[in-house]
Every structure is written in C-alpha cells, then in structure tokens.
Amino acid sequence: MDENWLKEINKKNIVLQGEDYSKWDFATVILSSSVLEKLSQEEQSKFQMTDFKRATNEIEYWARVEEICDFFGVEDPDLAGDIYERKFKNLTLDDEIKWMDLKEISEDKPEGFGVKVDWG
C-alpha cells in the first residue's frame, strides 16, 4: 500500500510552537484491527486502541450491538475484534475517501466495513 497520502496528513497534524491544540478542527478515523494491519508499523503505532461507547439503556444497547456488528461485518458481536482510533487535524473529503478505500469487503457486506470517519 502506498502511504504517501498519510505522510501529507501527518504533516498537517504537527503542533506548531504557540499553536492552541484545543482549537483544532478534528476528525476521528476509527479502524478495525484487520484494516489497521494494512498500514505500516509506523502508522499503526499512531492509533490508540479504544472501545465503543457504553450504552446507558436497553434501546441504546441494541443499537450499539447493531453498530458493532455492522462495523466488523459480523453477525455476533462476540466475534468483533479490537478498534483503533486517531484524531486528524483538518481532514479533507479526499482524505476520507482514501480511508474508506481501505475497507474490508465480503460477500455479505459488499459495501465494506472496518473504517469509520467521525467528523464530530
């Protein structure tokens, strides 16, 4: 895989002296472990293992189960793996498309799974 586009994204993520990090416009890229493995070891190390947010009620719980199954392309949430995330400064739509191109594809999920970009 050609990671030149990641090098450009990494350049945008550097905190400049005197820059207020808290005012950055962030997007969070969330990857499954199988998608993360497509990246070089150097890029993998920039991601942090995380968990899906815990549900606070039964309706939210079942929505989370569905989200987990969709994200990992599985029928049973117990078959889901680990998730990893990293925040990016000033991510563009082109950057998002490149991340989405890394999705896993299966016969059951031809639209792909294992990558999510959260703009919030």
Side-chain angles (χ1 to χ4, degrees):
M1 180 187 125
D2 179 18
E3 291 187 356
N4 287 329
W5 63 278
L6 279 173
K7 290 177 183 166
E8 291 302 314
I9 292 173
N10 289 333
K11 287 179 191 174
K12 291 191 288 187
N13 259 19
I14 295 172
V15 180
L16 302 174
Q17 186 173 357
E19 187 175 20
D20 187 355
Y21 185 84
S22 67
K23 292 191 179 5
W24 280 11
D25 182 23
F26 281 112
T28 304
V29 174
I30 303 164
L31 305 177
S32 67
S33 52
S34 60
V35 173
L36 184 74
E37 290 173 1
K38 294 179 180 183
L39 304 177
S40 68
Q41 288 293 322
E42 179 183 354
E43 289 301 324
Q44 288 180 35
S45 69
K46 296 173 184 173
F47 281 79
Q48 301 294 317
M49 188 185 296
T50 189
D51 293 316
F52 278 96
K53 293 182 178 110
R54 293 197 181 274
T56 58
N57 60 50
E58 190 171 347
I59 293 170
E60 197 175 291
Y61 169 79
W62 289 110
R64 292 279 187 261
V65 167
E66 185 176 347
E67 178 185 9
I68 290 167
C69 289
D70 286 347
F71 183 79
F72 287 100
V74 296
E75 298 284 327
D76 180 349
D78 291 335
L79 299 175
D82 294 323
I83 59 172
Y84 298 83
E85 71 175 30
R86 180 178 174 203
K87 293 189 180 302
F88 288 93
K89 173 184 172 183
N90 301 324
L91 205 67
T92 67
L93 186 55
D94 286 340
D95 296 331
E96 179 182 19
I97 291 167
K98 288 177 180 166
W99 282 113
M100 291 302 178
D101 286 345
L102 295 176
K103 283 184 175 182
E104 296 285 335
I105 305 292
S106 72
E107 204 171 286
D108 295 336
K109 301 281 266 172
E111 70 279 7
F113 57 93
V115 177
K116 180 179 175 186
V117 177
D118 183 3
W119 293 92

